[in-house]
Amino acid sequence: MSSRHLGRTVAMQTLYQWDFNGYSGDVQEIFERNTSESHLDSADLEFCQRIIKGVAAHKDELDQLITKFAPEWPIAKITIVDRNVLRIGIYELKFDPEIPAKVAINEAIEIAKNFGGESSGKFINGVLGSIYKEMGDKK
């Protein structure tokens, strides 16, 4: 497993906990607890933290995009895992120019397959693919 993949996994787990707790508490404290015994180097920890801070800062906008591209699924009805995998994938697509779109989508699908339900990978692929198509050549 690549260290960036592991970083995204830790980011998803941190955001999952923050979401599960109703966004109460400091997401930074959750991150520090989740990484206290990790084998991520400082660059990977910084990458992971960039995702967490970015998702937290853009959460409302990310949720609006989820609502727009998954209209049959109210945001509160999407599983916590899928919701946060989507937030990470959309954040990387829209706000992180260093991450190629196809990498953002493929990583999100893999994390969804590992931690989500039976149809999570297809759901994540459909939503992120639709967002990517709307973006056109922007990335």
Side-chain angles (χ1 to χ4, degrees), residues 6 22 24 31 36 39 42 46 50 62-63 71 73 83 92 97 100 107 111 120-121 127 136 139:
L6 181 58
S24 65
F31 167 73
S36 65
H39 300 292
S42 61
E46 186 177 304
R50 187 175 78 215
L62 298 171
D63 287 355
W73 289 93
R83 188 166 53 228
E92 288 189 334
E107 284 290 318
I111 292 170
S120 292
V127 175
K139 191 159 185 180

Side-chain angles (χ1 to χ4, degrees), residues 1 12 28 34 36 54 61 73 85 91 96 100 106 126-127 139:
M1 175 184 313
M12 188 278 298
Q28 181 63 30
N34 287 345
S36 65
E61 186 176 351
W73 289 93
V85 170
Y91 168 76
D96 194 336
N106 288 337
V127 175
K139 191 159 185 180

Side-chain angles (χ1 to χ4, degrees), residues 68-83:
K68 177 180 177 181
F69 287 95
E72 314 82 40
W73 289 93
I75 195 85
K77 297 290 184 186
I78 298 172
T79 67
I80 298 174
V81 168
D82 290 355
R83 188 166 53 228

Side-chain angles (χ1 to χ4, degrees), residues 2-20:
S2 80
S3 57
R4 283 212 162 180
H5 181 78
L6 181 58
R8 285 181 181 92
T9 300
V10 171
M12 188 278 298
Q13 291 169 332
T14 299
L15 292 165
Y16 177 99
Q17 287 176 283
W18 187 53
D19 188 341
F20 183 82

Side-chain angles (χ1 to χ4, degrees), residues 48-97:
C48 182
Q49 194 164 33
R50 187 175 78 215
I51 293 170
I52 293 165
K53 286 181 177 181
V55 169
H58 296 284
K59 185 179 119 8
D60 292 339
E61 186 176 351
L62 298 171
D63 287 355
Q64 288 173 2
L65 287 166
I66 294 169
T67 300
K68 177 180 177 181
F69 287 95
E72 314 82 40
W73 289 93
I75 195 85
K77 297 290 184 186
I78 298 172
T79 67
I80 298 174
V81 168
D82 290 355
R83 188 166 53 228
N84 285 289
V85 170
L86 281 170
R87 287 174 178 154
I88 291 169
I90 296 167
Y91 168 76
E92 288 189 334
L93 280 174
K94 298 287 265 182
F95 298 105
D96 194 336

